[in-house]
Amino acid sequence: NRGWTRDFGPIFVKRESPSSQVAIARFQFRAWARYPDWQLDNHIPERVASTLKMPIVPVELRGRGTVLEGGAIDVNGQGTLLTTEECLLDERIQVRNPGFTRLDYDEVFREHLGVSQVLWLGKGIAGDDTHGHVDDVCRFVDPYTVVLCQEENPCDENYRPLAENRERLEGMRSEDGRKLGVVSLPMPTPLYFDGRRLPASYANFYIGNSVILVPTFNDPQDRMALGILSELFPDRAVIGIHAVDLVWGFGT
């Protein structure tokens, strides 16, 4: 139905013992609890599992499948997961799993993703029609360091939510108790289409094996964001991708 593969595509997990088996944790996709067309997207994990001849494990709690998009979480690969309360715990707007509590999500992430520490931020950025995806806000760049979007303009609607997220992170620890390093990532000048704010954010980058693909917006902050990420990923080429046209689709 759409092209946002990070959200509806499979989430892979790796078993450490007795063998390093890779499987797919089968979450459900429901178009961010916002749009009616998701049926084709929701078949993708099975199609990938079949093509790769890989086991697929249903993610259920109390006999019910769990809805989760890939962009709603970010992990450090060692047991710590980032997400937002706005996305997963709001009980009125775009409710993925009605009745789910913080403890329910903790159990799902522990059982199916091997996560022992869930770090809950507050809100996402303005204009994000996913209602709070963390991949527009805060991302791990190594097991103990995150980049966090920072808005410098006190009059911007992102200023307070991003500042509150920074305050939360100051008291957070990884799964082994280590304090997280927080690196500020600038926000581009706000973009609008038909009077609607668009979710333009440098945090929505893609990490590949040898490359980092970063959305850019013909903005003076582009160069700064690329420079920051180049320092944080010295083993990968950091490449800007012009994303003004893409962000009209409310993502990059």
Side-chain angles (χ1 to χ4, degrees), residues 28-236:
Q28 301 294 316
F29 180 76
R30 294 292 185 271
W32 313 284
R34 180 177 178 90
Y35 302 105
D37 57 331
W38 46 260
Q39 291 78 9
L40 296 178
D41 296 334
N42 194 44
H43 284 305
I44 295 301
E46 277 83 7
R47 296 186 67 174
V48 172
S50 176
T51 299
L52 299 180
K53 296 179 172 54
M54 182 176 292
I56 187 165
V57 182
V59 178
E60 297 180 345
L61 184 68
R62 296 188 288 274
R64 192 172 99 197
T66 302
V67 175
L68 183 79
E69 306 95 35
I73 62 172
D74 201 65
V75 298
N76 72 345
Q78 297 189 163
T80 298
L81 179 149
L82 277 165
T83 189
T84 72
E85 295 172 348
E86 181 180 33
C87 181
L88 296 186
L89 297 181
D90 192 300
E91 297 179 350
R92 300 176 295 108
I93 303 172
Q94 293 175 237
V95 182
R96 273 74 168 178
N97 300 285
F100 264 43
T101 66
R102 190 184 304 254
L103 292 177
D104 290 332
Y105 280 110
D106 287 349
E107 180 179 342
V108 166
F109 295 148
R110 180 177 61 253
E111 178 70 21
H112 295 278
L113 299 182
V115 167
S116 57
Q117 180 81 324
V118 180
L119 306 180
W120 292 92
L121 300 182
K123 292 186 176 182
I125 62 171
D128 182 2
D129 74 337
T130 70
H131 195 60
H133 268 194
V134 78
D135 70 350
D136 279 329
V137 181
C138 187
R139 305 284 304 284
F140 278 107
V141 295
D142 68 38
Y144 302 107
T145 308
V146 298
V147 288
L148 175 69
C149 291
Q150 181 174 5
E151 176 55 61
E152 298 289 349
N153 180 5
C155 297
D156 190 281
E157 57 189 313
N158 281 320
Y159 180 82
R160 184 177 295 276
L162 292 177
E164 290 176 352
N165 284 334
R166 175 170 290 275
E167 291 177 4
R168 291 193 186 205
L169 281 167
E170 288 175 354
M172 291 178 171
R173 299 288 189 273
S174 65
E175 72 289 335
D176 60 2
R178 284 182 54 172
K179 184 177 175 61
L180 295 177
V182 182
V183 177
S184 295
L185 200 59
M187 287 291 286
T189 303
L191 288 173
Y192 295 87
F193 181 72
D194 277 349
R196 179 171 175 179
R197 180 80 177 256
L198 300 175
S201 168
Y202 300 114
N204 203 218
F205 54 81
Y206 169 78
I207 302 175
N209 290 337
S210 60
V211 69
I212 309 294
L213 303 181
V214 186
T216 58
F217 306 98
N218 274 349
D219 189 280
Q221 299 284 22
D222 290 355
R223 185 178 298 274
M224 181 179 292
L226 293 172
I228 291 170
L229 293 172
S230 293
E231 292 182 3
L232 294 169
F233 291 102
D235 59 335
R236 291 173 169 88

